[in-house]
Each structure stands twice: as C-alpha cells, then as structure tokens.
Amino acid sequence: MKKNIKWRFTLIALAIVASIIALLPNTPIYKSMNKAYRDYMPDKGIILGLDLQGGIYLVFEVEGGKAVQLNAKRIAGSINKLLSKKETKAEATANGTEITIVPASVEIRKVVEDAYPTLVVSESDGRLIYTLSEKEIRSIKENAVDQALETIRNRIDQFGVAEPVIQRQGDGEIVVQLPGVKDPKRAIDLIGKTAQLEFKIVDDESKLAAELPASVKPADEEELISKIKEKIPEDSEVLFERYMNMETGEVTKRPYLLKKDAIFTGEFLSEARVAIDSRFNSPYISVTFNPEGAKLFEELTGKYVKKRMAIILDGNVYSAPVIQERISGGSAQISGSYSMEEAKDLAIVLRAGSLPAPVILQQNITVGPSLGEDSIEAGKRTAIVAFIMVALFMAVYYRLAGVIADFALVLNIVFLLGAMAAMNATLTMPGIAGIVLAIGMAVDTNVLMFERMRDEIKLGKTPRAAVDSGYDKAFLTIVDSHVTTLITAAVLFQFGTGPIKGFAVTLSIGIAINLFTSLIGTKAVFDYINSSKEVKDLSI
Amino acid sequence: MIEIIKRTNIDFMKKRYIAFAVSGVLSLIGILAIVAIARGTANLGIDFAGGTAVQVKFDKAVTLHQVRTALETNGIKGADLQDFPSVKKVMIVLKKAGEHTSSSTSSTASIEKGLSDKVIEALTKGFPDNKIIVDSISEIGPKVGKRLRVDALWAVIASAIGILIYVGWRFQFSFSLGATVATFHDVLAVLGFFYITGLEINLILLTALLTIAGYSLTDTVVVFDRIRENMKVLLKESIDSLINRSINEVLSRTLITSLTVLLASIALFIFGGEVLHDFALAMILGVLVATYSSIFVASPVVLLWSGEKTFTKKH
C-alpha cells in the first residue's frame, strides 16, 4: 500500500516537473537562460493567438474562373500564331472558356488538335468551338491557387513579417495570418494586388481619342464610360491614370483610349526596384526584363516607334510615354503619381510576380495590440478570481477534503498549461474562457466523490472504507458527466475557426487532465492520510 | 460538516405539470428563434450574416448617440452600436456589404472595401478632441458568412448525434429520452433568451450553446445514476417516489456542481472583458437552466414515458 502511494506521488511530481519545463519558454527566466541550456529545452511553449497578441487574419478567394479565362485567351493567341504560320485566313477568339475558330476546315482542325489534343471540339455553322475539358479546368484552378499561394508567400517574405502563416483552405481559398502587423491596410493591399503588368498601345487614330476630356473627377469615371460606350472601337478600351496634385492633394483621373490587346506583359520581368528621379526628386520603378523579354521588347518598340505606349498595372495606367526609338537593353521605367512607400510596395509585388488570377478578400479580422493586451489582462484577472472563488468555496464547505481538492485544482491548471505548452497549442481569448470553465468543472469531480464519501460515512463506514467506496461508486458518474462535454468540445475543435478551436482545446485538455488529477492525485492524498494512522474522523 | 441543504424530502414529481408548462414556453421561444434564424430575421452576428464590425476605444467617454451622429453626418447609416461604458469602448456593426454608404459599389461577392476605414475616419472627424484607438476590425464576406453558417449547422448536428449515441449507449431508452429532451430544452431556452432580448446570435454564442449541451448532461447524469442505483435496491417502490427519493438524495451535489461552474461563469461575465461578455452570459443562463432541467425536465420525462408503475414491471 505504502509503496503504491509513493509511486503515485512520484508520478505527480514528474508531471509537475515536465509541465514546468514545457512552460519555461513562456516565462521571463527563459530569456535570461544560458544558450547552452536552452538548446536542450523546448523552444516555443504556448503560442498566443492573433486575438491576444494582435495581428491580422485574412482569407482570400482565388478567382479560379478568371484564371481559366486567361488560359483560354492565351491558347487562342497561340492558335492564331499557328494559323498565321499556315497562312490560313481563319481566326480564333476566346470567349469565357470557349475558343471559337471561323471558318472551320479539316486542315485547321488538324493543326489545332495536333497542338492541343485535350481540347473538346464541336462544330456548327461553319465554326469550330473548342472548350477546355473539365479535368483541365480543374487543374488550371488548382494551379492558380498553388501559384497564388507561392506568390503571396513571396510578397510577405519581402514585406518582412515575423512568423506568418500562409496556407490553403478548402476549395480555392488562401488563409494568411500575420501576427503583430502594425499597418493592416498596407499589408492587405500588398497581398491583394494582382500585379498584372501590361503594355498597351494608345489608340490615337480613333475619332474618339480627340473627344476624351483631359481629366475627370474619380467619382465621374463610370459616368464618362457609359456616355462614350457606343463610340469605343471594338478592339479598344478606356482606362484611367490616377493623378494627384502634390500641393492640393486633389486626385483626378485621366482617360486613355487603348488597344485592348497587350503587346507585352510582366511575365518577362526579372527585376524591379525603386529609384529616385533626380529632376523631380520623385520615386519611380525601374524594371528589367529577362533575355527573352528584352529581345521581344526591342522588337516591339521598334515596331511602334513614335506611338504612345501605356504602362498598365492591374488596369490602372501609370504612364504613357511616346516611344522615341527602338529600346534595347531590356529595361523600362514605370513612373507615376505615388509615394515612396507605395513605390516600394509596387516594386515588391512586381518582383514577387503577378497572381495568376485576381483574389477577393473574403474575411479580414484585425486585432490591434491594445485589445490583445486588454484581453490578456482580463483573462488573467478572470482566471484568478474564478480560482479564488471556487477554491474558497471548496475549502469552507469540505474543510480538509476541500483543501485537498484545491491542491488538485492547482495541479490541474499547471498540467493544463504544461500540456498546452508541450503541444505548442495556441491560446486564444475563448481558450482562456475554456480554462476558466475547466476550473469550475474540475472541482465537480471532487464534489461528486466527497458527497459519495459523506453518504458512506452516514452509513457508518470507516473513513478508509468511505474513501474507497466513494471513489469506486462515483467513478462512473464522473466519467459519464464529463464524456458528453468532451464530445461537444471535439465537435467544436473540428468545425470551429481559430479562436473557437482554442476554446475546444483548453476545455477538452482541462477535462481530461481533471480525470487524472482527481482519480490519481486526490486519491493518493486521501490514501496517504488514511495509511499513516487509523483516522477516526474524516474532515469532509 | 457544512451542508447547503440538509436531507430534503420534496415531492418534485408532483410539480411536474407546472415545470412542463414553464419548459414548454422556454422551448417554444427557442424554436421561434430557430425559425427566425432560418428566415434571416434574427439578429445574426456578422460572422453569420457577413458585414463589417469596428471596435474602438475612446480616451474620453462618449455616448452612443454621439457616435451615431458622427457616423451619420459622415454618410454611414444603419449601424448597430454596442456600448462597453466601463472600458469606454464602442463596437460599430454594419451588416451585409453594400448598403451603408451611397458611393459604395454594390459588389455582393466580397466584403465592402474601405468601409472600416470610412467608419474610423468618421469617428476621427466626429470626435476631434478625443483620442481613438482601433481595437479590432472584422470584415466578413457573404461567402465566408455562408460557410460559417453551414459549418455551424454541421457542428450542431454532429454534437447532437454524438450526445444521442453516448446517452443511448449508457442508459436505457426512457432515460436517454429524458436526458435528450433536457439537453435540447436547455439549449433552446438560452437561444430563446438571446433571441427575445435582441442580443447577437453569433459564433461565440454557438460555442456557448454547444458547451451548455455538453454540460447539461452533467447534472442529469448525477440524478439518473442515483435512480438506477436505487432501482436495484428498492424493487417495490413506485417510479415517482423512487425518482423523488433519488433527486432528494443527490440534490446537494446537483446544486454544488452547478454552483462551482456558475462561480467560474460569473467571474468570466464580470472580468472577462467585452470579448467574452455574451459568452459568459450564455454560460450563466445555461448552467442555471441545466440545473433546473435535470430535476424538472429529465426525470419527469422518464416518469412520463415509463408510466406511474414500478420500473421492474417494465423489464
């Protein structure tokens, strides 16, 4: 019997030591410790959730459909190149996920199907309609998400955030968690930009070009478009350049009539950096193309000499200089009306590459550092108050037995925190609520046992017999009463988002540990008391 | 030893019809709440409905009226405001994208861009001599809202099934029925309270409700275990007196186990801060109603199902 008690106390002592070691990284002692020791220690401990340390939680939806459309457009372009090489008069146009070729002929079919064997074809009214197969559409969407994830990771790395979490979620969503970011708006802009860099030729020949106003107010943009809609040539479009008056801060928009087809895109870009224009002391972005792009750029600028070429990023014109001469060397400048900070972010997104499709921000949870601090304070206070109230009640109501239960309660909290630290679990504000509730529920186990013991004592049993049968008879009730709480906690863990998951974790670990401390811990104490001498009166 | 209540001998089962009436009303309100949620007329939080919420902390105390005026003069209409005067915090909730400012684009596929900035700008303009700290911004697009609603529904279904299986496995049918009715009763009662008082029905309330569902059984199990135990010894006693005896025997532990959780919940309610305020309120109500239902709902249902004979005749 005595041996058995010793063994149980040893187990408890070991668990306490293990918990404290696991928790070390969360204490100030850890920082002052010698690095040689630290190497043998756990290094993370309990991680604070975004709601406690401040930061942003973003969910972006990748518009996979747009990626598919872009892909169809690209294929149409390649088919046209193939067809012009064969000197046929046929032309391919992309419409959504369909590529239409007019006129249809057996030779054209052969050319296209040799190059793109996976396209699904149908023929009607002398036209060939090719569609992307379901499988292909799926894989394009899949790739778009993977690529977007990679690009976003790249951008965040360059932006400089400590310990970001960037991961896929479900079907085509990307979750980004940035702890401790001070300027959430800037981070959201940086991640959400498609960064589609395009070069388009200004359509100065159309009659409409002369009719366009020099500038409009930002609010009148849509009105202008609807007014001139009819007059825009089929192969052209109107895009705007944002212009800010540096003195008044007034923003105006300048419309451009542009040829729809981009002659050159950012896919050839190899480097982008911010430079300062010494004449105006304003920042601009210098971009460099890879060798293939440099060659193409030189050809194109040669072809369009004396024309204006607009540089467009995500549908906004940045500048539209006249091509004076063939540009060799593979570099270009993007100047525009932006601040140094904006220029830096633009350079980052250009360097990190464009997103394969636009992303839509679906969820943004931003928690300021002050709320995080307030919450931690509130959490600590609540836990302490709850502990004192519950512990006091137990000690008063059950006397010595209550004190033993309180001792078990302390163990409970130490083990709970230790287990969380060992698992590197994330503590959230609802998680703190879980700990507080666990404090209230933990003593329930003891209450059930003590009441049982009281029953047994009333029946005239000796203290030792009362303790033993109290534990035995209360055991099933205790398990039954906790299992259902564990079931709902498990469900919450499965379906809950970040903070709610934190609640499920603390509550369920709390309850599981509670079974250990009350069935092993308090029982050992009672057995010890009973074994030392024949106890006549149990203080309960 | 100190005892909250000495050995009692209350005829709980006699009062069951009053209890059924009270519980019927509580459950009915809860069912109305579910109907309202399904029809979209309940006060759903932005996590389910989609929208924007901004919580700010003021340096000097402000009234909700002042906040509303500041928002409206700057073109932001239809905001729900929630006040936490003790910490000088105000939560501004704008549900569903695209309805609050005239210039906003009516894109319903995403969150309303820049709405949170407009709110902060409006407050900065409206309270020029007050320092404003932005505590938190939550923007939730309709798609996420829809997914969270679906997830929530699955969570409810999964927990219900989990609890039913466990209870069905551990107890004979009449007891499982009693425990299940009591559990649903408790959840419905708390949900109904939130519905008629117009409090927000959100993810954190759902968490509380599921926790209540799990906890609700704690007290019920204590009573049921004692009934089962007495069934084996007191073979000839009628069911209602056996149930009465059992409830009276375990009454003190039923109350004490609830009391300790109640103490913890009250601590959360008072000190837990605005984030956990509603959660703690739901837990307090849940613990109270769970204690009531373990005595006045769960056992009477067993009695109702078994008829007023003895258990032994039943099997």
Side-chain angles (χ1 to χ4, degrees), chain B residues 17 26 36 61 77 88 93 100-101 135 166 200 212 219 233 245 264 288 294 303:
Chain B
Y17 294 109
L26 290 179
K77 293 178 195 79
K88 293 177 209 153
V93 182
H100 300 285
T101 53
D135 257 355
Y166 187 77
E200 211 175 83
I212 291 165
D219 287 337
V233 208
R245 174 200 291 273
L288 290 176
S294 71
L303 179 63

PDB file of all heavy atoms in Angstrom, chain B residues 17 26 36 61 77 88 93 100-101 135 166 200 212 219 233 245 264 288 294 303:
ATOM      1  N   TYR B  17     -46.181  19.233 -13.722  1.00  0.00           N
ATOM      2  CA  TYR B  17     -47.007  19.879 -14.749  1.00  0.00           C
ATOM      3  C   TYR B  17     -46.721  21.370 -14.856  1.00  0.00           C
ATOM      4  O   TYR B  17     -46.709  21.927 -15.954  1.00  0.00           O
ATOM      5  CB  TYR B  17     -48.491  19.595 -14.494  1.00  0.00           C
ATOM      6  CG  TYR B  17     -48.769  18.114 -14.671  1.00  0.00           C
ATOM      7  CD1 TYR B  17     -49.044  17.289 -13.592  1.00  0.00           C
ATOM      8  CD2 TYR B  17     -48.671  17.546 -15.951  1.00  0.00           C
ATOM      9  CE1 TYR B  17     -49.246  15.934 -13.759  1.00  0.00           C
ATOM     10  CE2 TYR B  17     -48.873  16.188 -16.122  1.00  0.00           C
ATOM     11  CZ  TYR B  17     -49.162  15.377 -15.030  1.00  0.00           C
ATOM     12  OH  TYR B  17     -49.337  14.046 -15.216  1.00  0.00           O
ATOM     13  N   LEU B  26     -40.390  28.052 -22.630  1.00  0.00           N
ATOM     14  CA  LEU B  26     -38.968  28.315 -22.900  1.00  0.00           C
ATOM     15  C   LEU B  26     -38.545  27.681 -24.232  1.00  0.00           C
ATOM     16  O   LEU B  26     -37.890  28.309 -25.063  1.00  0.00           O
ATOM     17  CB  LEU B  26     -38.088  27.752 -21.775  1.00  0.00           C
ATOM     18  CG  LEU B  26     -38.162  28.471 -20.425  1.00  0.00           C
ATOM     19  CD1 LEU B  26     -37.260  27.781 -19.415  1.00  0.00           C
ATOM     20  CD2 LEU B  26     -37.745  29.929 -20.577  1.00  0.00           C
ATOM     21  N   ALA B  36     -36.667  32.091 -36.818  1.00  0.00           N
ATOM     22  CA  ALA B  36     -36.219  33.435 -37.184  1.00  0.00           C
ATOM     23  C   ALA B  36     -34.830  33.400 -37.807  1.00  0.00           C
ATOM     24  O   ALA B  36     -34.544  34.127 -38.766  1.00  0.00           O
ATOM     25  CB  ALA B  36     -36.231  34.340 -35.957  1.00  0.00           C
ATOM     26  N   ALA B  61     -14.992  59.368 -22.328  1.00  0.00           N
ATOM     27  CA  ALA B  61     -16.260  58.662 -22.518  1.00  0.00           C
ATOM     28  C   ALA B  61     -17.136  59.360 -23.556  1.00  0.00           C
ATOM     29  O   ALA B  61     -17.158  60.591 -23.642  1.00  0.00           O
ATOM     30  CB  ALA B  61     -17.001  58.575 -21.184  1.00  0.00           C
ATOM     31  N   LYS B  77     -24.818  54.939 -42.577  1.00  0.00           N
ATOM     32  CA  LYS B  77     -26.144  54.728 -41.986  1.00  0.00           C
ATOM     33  C   LYS B  77     -26.349  53.273 -41.603  1.00  0.00           C
ATOM     34  O   LYS B  77     -25.664  52.385 -42.083  1.00  0.00           O
ATOM     35  CB  LYS B  77     -27.214  55.136 -42.991  1.00  0.00           C
ATOM     36  CG  LYS B  77     -27.214  56.623 -43.252  1.00  0.00           C
ATOM     37  CD  LYS B  77     -28.248  57.005 -44.291  1.00  0.00           C
ATOM     38  CE  LYS B  77     -28.003  58.400 -44.804  1.00  0.00           C
ATOM     39  NZ  LYS B  77     -26.919  58.483 -45.793  1.00  0.00           N
ATOM     40  N   LYS B  88     -14.895  52.321 -21.885  1.00  0.00           N
ATOM     41  CA  LYS B  88     -15.008  53.369 -22.916  1.00  0.00           C
ATOM     42  C   LYS B  88     -14.810  52.814 -24.318  1.00  0.00           C
ATOM     43  O   LYS B  88     -14.094  53.370 -25.138  1.00  0.00           O
ATOM     44  CB  LYS B  88     -13.991  54.483 -22.663  1.00  0.00           C
ATOM     45  CG  LYS B  88     -14.275  55.280 -21.404  1.00  0.00           C
ATOM     46  CD  LYS B  88     -13.180  56.296 -21.197  1.00  0.00           C
ATOM     47  CE  LYS B  88     -12.986  56.608 -19.737  1.00  0.00           C
ATOM     48  NZ  LYS B  88     -11.635  57.040 -19.442  1.00  0.00           N
ATOM     49  N   VAL B  93     -21.286  47.973 -35.705  1.00  0.00           N
ATOM     50  CA  VAL B  93     -21.526  46.809 -36.566  1.00  0.00           C
ATOM     51  C   VAL B  93     -22.342  47.224 -37.786  1.00  0.00           C
ATOM     52  O   VAL B  93     -23.399  47.841 -37.658  1.00  0.00           O
ATOM     53  CB  VAL B  93     -22.273  45.699 -35.797  1.00  0.00           C
ATOM     54  CG1 VAL B  93     -22.471  44.480 -36.688  1.00  0.00           C
ATOM     55  CG2 VAL B  93     -21.505  45.316 -34.544  1.00  0.00           C
ATOM     56  N   HIS B 100     -24.521  50.597 -46.842  1.00  0.00           N
ATOM     57  CA  HIS B 100     -24.410  51.619 -45.813  1.00  0.00           C
ATOM     58  C   HIS B 100     -23.953  52.982 -46.299  1.00  0.00           C
ATOM     59  O   HIS B 100     -24.204  53.978 -45.665  1.00  0.00           O
ATOM     60  CB  HIS B 100     -23.495  51.124 -44.693  1.00  0.00           C
ATOM     61  CG  HIS B 100     -24.023  49.876 -44.071  1.00  0.00           C
ATOM     62  ND1 HIS B 100     -25.085  49.888 -43.226  1.00  0.00           N
ATOM     63  CD2 HIS B 100     -23.684  48.579 -44.245  1.00  0.00           C
ATOM     64  CE1 HIS B 100     -25.371  48.645 -42.874  1.00  0.00           C
ATOM     65  NE2 HIS B 100     -24.535  47.844 -43.479  1.00  0.00           N
ATOM     66  N   THR B 101     -23.262  53.014 -47.408  1.00  0.00           N
ATOM     67  CA  THR B 101     -22.873  54.315 -47.928  1.00  0.00           C
ATOM     68  C   THR B 101     -23.352  54.388 -49.364  1.00  0.00           C
ATOM     69  O   THR B 101     -23.426  53.384 -50.063  1.00  0.00           O
ATOM     70  CB  THR B 101     -21.334  54.501 -47.889  1.00  0.00           C
ATOM     71  OG1 THR B 101     -20.735  53.397 -48.548  1.00  0.00           O
ATOM     72  CG2 THR B 101     -20.843  54.574 -46.466  1.00  0.00           C
ATOM     73  N   ASP B 135      -9.461  49.022 -31.729  1.00  0.00           N
ATOM     74  CA  ASP B 135      -9.223  47.748 -31.054  1.00  0.00           C
ATOM     75  C   ASP B 135      -9.218  46.603 -32.045  1.00  0.00           C
ATOM     76  O   ASP B 135      -8.338  45.758 -32.043  1.00  0.00           O
ATOM     77  CB  ASP B 135     -10.338  47.501 -30.035  1.00  0.00           C
ATOM     78  CG  ASP B 135      -9.884  47.782 -28.622  1.00  0.00           C
ATOM     79  OD1 ASP B 135      -8.683  48.065 -28.447  1.00  0.00           O
ATOM     80  OD2 ASP B 135     -10.709  47.720 -27.718  1.00  0.00           O
ATOM     81  N   TYR B 166     -24.005   8.524 -27.241  1.00  0.00           N
ATOM     82  CA  TYR B 166     -23.443   8.222 -25.925  1.00  0.00           C
ATOM     83  C   TYR B 166     -24.527   7.927 -24.902  1.00  0.00           C
ATOM     84  O   TYR B 166     -24.474   6.932 -24.170  1.00  0.00           O
ATOM     85  CB  TYR B 166     -22.549   9.373 -25.439  1.00  0.00           C
ATOM     86  CG  TYR B 166     -21.827   9.009 -24.164  1.00  0.00           C
ATOM     87  CD1 TYR B 166     -20.720   8.176 -24.211  1.00  0.00           C
ATOM     88  CD2 TYR B 166     -22.278   9.450 -22.923  1.00  0.00           C
ATOM     89  CE1 TYR B 166     -20.071   7.798 -23.052  1.00  0.00           C
ATOM     90  CE2 TYR B 166     -21.635   9.083 -21.764  1.00  0.00           C
ATOM     91  CZ  TYR B 166     -20.527   8.257 -21.832  1.00  0.00           C
ATOM     92  OH  TYR B 166     -19.895   7.880 -20.689  1.00  0.00           O
ATOM     93  N   GLU B 200     -26.981  39.509 -29.922  1.00  0.00           N
ATOM     94  CA  GLU B 200     -26.479  38.979 -31.179  1.00  0.00           C
ATOM     95  C   GLU B 200     -26.317  37.463 -31.138  1.00  0.00           C
ATOM     96  O   GLU B 200     -25.801  36.904 -30.176  1.00  0.00           O
ATOM     97  CB  GLU B 200     -25.134  39.625 -31.479  1.00  0.00           C
ATOM     98  CG  GLU B 200     -24.859  39.767 -32.941  1.00  0.00           C
ATOM     99  CD  GLU B 200     -23.569  40.521 -33.175  1.00  0.00           C
ATOM    100  OE1 GLU B 200     -22.498  39.887 -33.113  1.00  0.00           O
ATOM    101  OE2 GLU B 200     -23.633  41.737 -33.397  1.00  0.00           O
ATOM    102  N   ILE B 212     -22.939  24.256 -23.369  1.00  0.00           N
ATOM    103  CA  ILE B 212     -24.076  24.028 -22.473  1.00  0.00           C
ATOM    104  C   ILE B 212     -24.668  22.639 -22.739  1.00  0.00           C
ATOM    105  O   ILE B 212     -24.983  21.899 -21.809  1.00  0.00           O
ATOM    106  CB  ILE B 212     -25.147  25.127 -22.665  1.00  0.00           C
ATOM    107  CG1 ILE B 212     -24.611  26.461 -22.137  1.00  0.00           C
ATOM    108  CG2 ILE B 212     -26.447  24.759 -21.952  1.00  0.00           C
ATOM    109  CD1 ILE B 212     -25.411  27.659 -22.600  1.00  0.00           C
ATOM    110  N   ASP B 219     -25.408  17.301 -14.711  1.00  0.00           N
ATOM    111  CA  ASP B 219     -26.361  17.206 -13.607  1.00  0.00           C
ATOM    112  C   ASP B 219     -27.358  16.082 -13.814  1.00  0.00           C
ATOM    113  O   ASP B 219     -27.725  15.377 -12.879  1.00  0.00           O
ATOM    114  CB  ASP B 219     -27.119  18.531 -13.463  1.00  0.00           C
ATOM    115  CG  ASP B 219     -26.225  19.605 -12.877  1.00  0.00           C
ATOM    116  OD1 ASP B 219     -25.241  19.249 -12.207  1.00  0.00           O
ATOM    117  OD2 ASP B 219     -26.502  20.787 -13.106  1.00  0.00           O
ATOM    118  N   VAL B 233     -32.114  -1.666  -5.653  1.00  0.00           N
ATOM    119  CA  VAL B 233     -32.351  -1.978  -4.251  1.00  0.00           C
ATOM    120  C   VAL B 233     -33.835  -1.907  -3.895  1.00  0.00           C
ATOM    121  O   VAL B 233     -34.377  -2.774  -3.240  1.00  0.00           O
ATOM    122  CB  VAL B 233     -31.568  -1.007  -3.338  1.00  0.00           C
ATOM    123  CG1 VAL B 233     -31.255  -1.681  -2.023  1.00  0.00           C
ATOM    124  CG2 VAL B 233     -30.301  -0.530  -4.031  1.00  0.00           C
ATOM    125  N   ARG B 245     -37.161  10.299  -4.379  1.00  0.00           N
ATOM    126  CA  ARG B 245     -36.156   9.935  -3.375  1.00  0.00           C
ATOM    127  C   ARG B 245     -34.742  10.182  -3.938  1.00  0.00           C
ATOM    128  O   ARG B 245     -33.902  10.799  -3.274  1.00  0.00           O
ATOM    129  CB  ARG B 245     -36.321   8.467  -2.992  1.00  0.00           C
ATOM    130  CG  ARG B 245     -35.220   7.966  -2.042  1.00  0.00           C
ATOM    131  CD  ARG B 245     -35.126   6.455  -2.091  1.00  0.00           C
ATOM    132  NE  ARG B 245     -36.298   5.810  -1.506  1.00  0.00           N
ATOM    133  CZ  ARG B 245     -36.405   5.546  -0.195  1.00  0.00           C
ATOM    134  NH1 ARG B 245     -35.436   5.853   0.616  1.00  0.00           N
ATOM    135  NH2 ARG B 245     -37.472   4.955   0.272  1.00  0.00           N
ATOM    136  N   ALA B 264     -17.431  30.243 -11.758  1.00  0.00           N
ATOM    137  CA  ALA B 264     -16.464  30.493 -12.828  1.00  0.00           C
ATOM    138  C   ALA B 264     -17.093  31.352 -13.927  1.00  0.00           C
ATOM    139  O   ALA B 264     -16.469  32.290 -14.445  1.00  0.00           O
ATOM    140  CB  ALA B 264     -15.965  29.172 -13.412  1.00  0.00           C
ATOM    141  N   LEU B 288     -27.747  27.566 -15.051  1.00  0.00           N
ATOM    142  CA  LEU B 288     -28.975  27.657 -14.252  1.00  0.00           C
ATOM    143  C   LEU B 288     -30.065  26.763 -14.840  1.00  0.00           C
ATOM    144  O   LEU B 288     -30.697  25.972 -14.129  1.00  0.00           O
ATOM    145  CB  LEU B 288     -29.459  29.115 -14.199  1.00  0.00           C
ATOM    146  CG  LEU B 288     -28.590  30.072 -13.377  1.00  0.00           C
ATOM    147  CD1 LEU B 288     -29.108  31.497 -13.483  1.00  0.00           C
ATOM    148  CD2 LEU B 288     -28.550  29.634 -11.913  1.00  0.00           C
ATOM    149  N   SER B 294     -32.412  19.249 -15.011  1.00  0.00           N
ATOM    150  CA  SER B 294     -32.029  17.913 -14.542  1.00  0.00           C
ATOM    151  C   SER B 294     -33.039  17.408 -13.511  1.00  0.00           C
ATOM    152  O   SER B 294     -33.249  16.212 -13.370  1.00  0.00           O
ATOM    153  CB  SER B 294     -30.613  17.932 -13.967  1.00  0.00           C
ATOM    154  OG  SER B 294     -30.594  18.624 -12.746  1.00  0.00           O
ATOM    155  N   LEU B 303     -40.445   9.534 -16.093  1.00  0.00           N
ATOM    156  CA  LEU B 303     -41.686   9.126 -15.435  1.00  0.00           C
ATOM    157  C   LEU B 303     -42.835   9.048 -16.430  1.00  0.00           C
ATOM    158  O   LEU B 303     -43.594   8.084 -16.468  1.00  0.00           O
ATOM    159  CB  LEU B 303     -42.006  10.132 -14.327  1.00  0.00           C
ATOM    160  CG  LEU B 303     -43.289   9.910 -13.527  1.00  0.00           C
ATOM    161  CD1 LEU B 303     -43.214   8.597 -12.763  1.00  0.00           C
ATOM    162  CD2 LEU B 303     -43.506  11.064 -12.549  1.00  0.00           C
TER     163      LEU B 303
END
